[in-house]
Amino acid sequence: MRPAAGIFNTVKHHHMQHLNTFLVCLDSTAIDEQLIKYSTMFAEVASCKKVYFVHIAQKNLSVKIKQFFEEKVAEHFTGSCETEVQIHQGSDATQVLEWDGLKGIDMILLGIKSKKESSGVHAAKIINSAKCSVLLVPRTAEIKLEKVILPLDFSGTSLPALEFAQGINAKNGAEVFLHHVYFVPTGYTHTGKTYDEMAEIMKKNKLREYEQFKREHNVDDAKTEVIFELDDDENPSDNICEMAKERNVDLIMVASRGRTKLASMLKHSTAASLINYDRDLACLVVKDKTSNMGFFEALMKL
């Protein structure tokens, strides 16, 4: 597929360049093979330099278990970058948050199971606590990246995800949909307007907001589709998932709002509710590691 000419021509193009190191969580279930293959595709798109495949074992830390995973990686990972298998002791995948090497990781890849198999609590904890981007890969995800949807809220926090989308577009020509869900505020009846009249006013306001967002951040959307959708229940997650399926997308990208606000926001955050709403779609929570760095950590890097 030929890359479409500059979807976001003038948005700063740096985010994809910083995806040098991945961590892939393997759990010795059927989802591992899918996850390794998916990480191959993503490593190629991001020009990743190294992928760590980590398994958290409760007891068995023998050489044999490491060999088992090394053989699995050798069979299913066909990327050109360096790989390393590590086995750590612990009770579940959240143990990777304690790993000393996590500071150097730019993206964590996790397999996500159906609601029957898993509550999604571990995935939510990793999304909440990790300073880097987190990619959730369902067993049903196809190994392709041709269409991407990005829920957009016209704030600066959307920019890392926009840059990421730009990088994917530049690398393999993936089609990018920008999706803004808006709703009629409760109490609109006090204005004397009908629901439909108020919905029309809200849409005009949102279009204006978007034009201002484009001007402020130099976004060129000439080659992409921007979808404005009215939501009637103030829960955007179902709208996002339904639109993703309607457009047959391969990946939902969600911009994280930074680490400080994320803990309190996670209860009703788009990322967490997407996990609970639909586990058939790959979902990438994009975080800007630099803005997630603590003040002193940032000083130490100067």
Side-chain angles (χ1 to χ4, degrees), residues 141-272:
E142 287 188 62
I143 315 288
K144 64 186 176 73
L145 205 52
E146 292 170 7
K147 292 182 179 182
V148 174
I149 194 163
L150 170 61
L152 199 61
D153 67 357
F154 315 144
S155 71
T157 56
S158 301
L159 287 178
L162 264 175
E163 291 163 18
F164 204 114
Q166 178 195 31
I168 293 172
N169 168 263
K171 190 82 180 195
N172 72 350
E175 201 175 341
V176 178
F177 301 103
L178 303 181
H179 184 211
H180 180 74
V181 179
Y182 65 98
F183 50 87
V184 170
T186 49
Y188 73 91
T189 48
H190 298 304
T191 64
K193 306 277 186 201
T194 66
Y195 182 87
D196 290 344
E197 284 170 337
M198 202 64 199
E200 196 52 42
I201 291 167
M202 290 305 297
K203 184 171 185 180
K204 280 178 184 168
N205 286 343
K206 293 299 177 182
L207 286 164
R208 261 200 304 273
E209 266 183 62
Y210 177 58
E211 289 305 319
Q212 188 181 341
F213 172 78
K214 282 202 298 181
R215 278 195 304 275
E216 276 178 23
H217 301 292
N218 299 316
V219 176
D220 177 6
D221 64 356
K223 299 282 181 183
T224 191
E225 185 179 350
V226 187
I227 305 158
F228 288 82
E229 187 184 2
L230 177 64
D231 175 23
D232 55 11
D233 61 4
E234 295 188 29
N235 172 24
S237 298
D238 53 353
N239 298 70
I240 293 163
C241 288
E242 281 158 26
M243 185 59 70
K245 288 188 170 178
E246 190 183 303
R247 299 301 168 110
N248 200 23
V249 304
D250 305 305
L251 178 70
I252 297 175
M253 292 173 62
V254 184
S256 157
R257 285 165 173 77
R259 193 164 182 264
T260 47
K261 291 182 192 168
L262 199 63
S264 59
M265 196 199 82
L266 199 82
K267 292 171 195 150
H268 50 266
S269 80
T270 312

Side-chain angles (χ1 to χ4, degrees), residues 19-231:
L19 289 177
N20 294 325
T21 317
F22 290 2
L23 186 158
V24 180
C25 300
L26 302 179
D27 69 356
S28 74
T29 66
I31 205 165
D32 283 354
E33 186 180 317
Q34 168 79 353
L35 199 50
I36 296 166
K37 287 176 179 174
Y38 204 93
S39 68
T40 298
M41 175 190 70
F42 235 89
E44 293 300 296
V45 169
S47 303
C48 177
K49 292 189 172 71
K50 183 163 185 177
V51 181
Y52 289 92
F53 292 92
V54 176
H55 173 65
I56 306 297
Q58 288 188 13
K59 292 176 184 171
N60 190 353
L61 299 174
S62 69
V63 175
K64 273 186 181 174
I65 189 96
K66 190 177 182 190
Q67 200 177 341
F68 166 80
F69 283 107
E70 281 174 343
E71 284 169 9
K72 202 175 247 196
V73 169
E75 184 183 351
H76 300 295
F77 187 85
T78 55
S80 52
C81 65
E82 189 187 342
T83 61
E84 185 180 321
V85 172
Q86 293 200 6
I87 311 296
H88 296 281
Q89 190 161 11
S91 55
D92 57 64
T94 59
Q95 201 71 34
V96 298
L97 297 167
E98 309 294 320
W99 181 44
D100 290 342
L102 196 63
K103 280 181 184 171
I105 298 296
D106 301 308
M107 186 162 79
I108 296 172
L109 285 82
L110 284 174
I112 188 141
K113 297 172 181 174
S114 70
K115 289 181 188 177
K116 286 178 190 170
E117 297 172 279
S118 161
S119 65
V121 164
H122 296 152
K125 186 177 177 186
I126 289 171
I127 290 169
N128 189 12
S129 305
K131 293 182 183 181
C132 60
S133 298
V134 180
L135 175 57
L136 305 172
V137 182
R139 196 180 299 170
T140 50
E142 287 188 62
I143 315 288
K144 64 186 176 73
L145 205 52
E146 292 170 7
K147 292 182 179 182
V148 174
I149 194 163
L150 170 61
L152 199 61
D153 67 357
F154 315 144
S155 71
T157 56
S158 301
L159 287 178
L162 264 175
E163 291 163 18
F164 204 114
Q166 178 195 31
I168 293 172
N169 168 263
K171 190 82 180 195
N172 72 350
E175 201 175 341
V176 178
F177 301 103
L178 303 181
H179 184 211
H180 180 74
V181 179
Y182 65 98
F183 50 87
V184 170
T186 49
Y188 73 91
T189 48
H190 298 304
T191 64
K193 306 277 186 201
T194 66
Y195 182 87
D196 290 344
E197 284 170 337
M198 202 64 199
E200 196 52 42
I201 291 167
M202 290 305 297
K203 184 171 185 180
K204 280 178 184 168
N205 286 343
K206 293 299 177 182
L207 286 164
R208 261 200 304 273
E209 266 183 62
Y210 177 58
E211 289 305 319
Q212 188 181 341
F213 172 78
K214 282 202 298 181
R215 278 195 304 275
E216 276 178 23
H217 301 292
N218 299 316
V219 176
D220 177 6
D221 64 356
K223 299 282 181 183
T224 191
E225 185 179 350
V226 187
I227 305 158
F228 288 82
E229 187 184 2
L230 177 64
D231 175 23

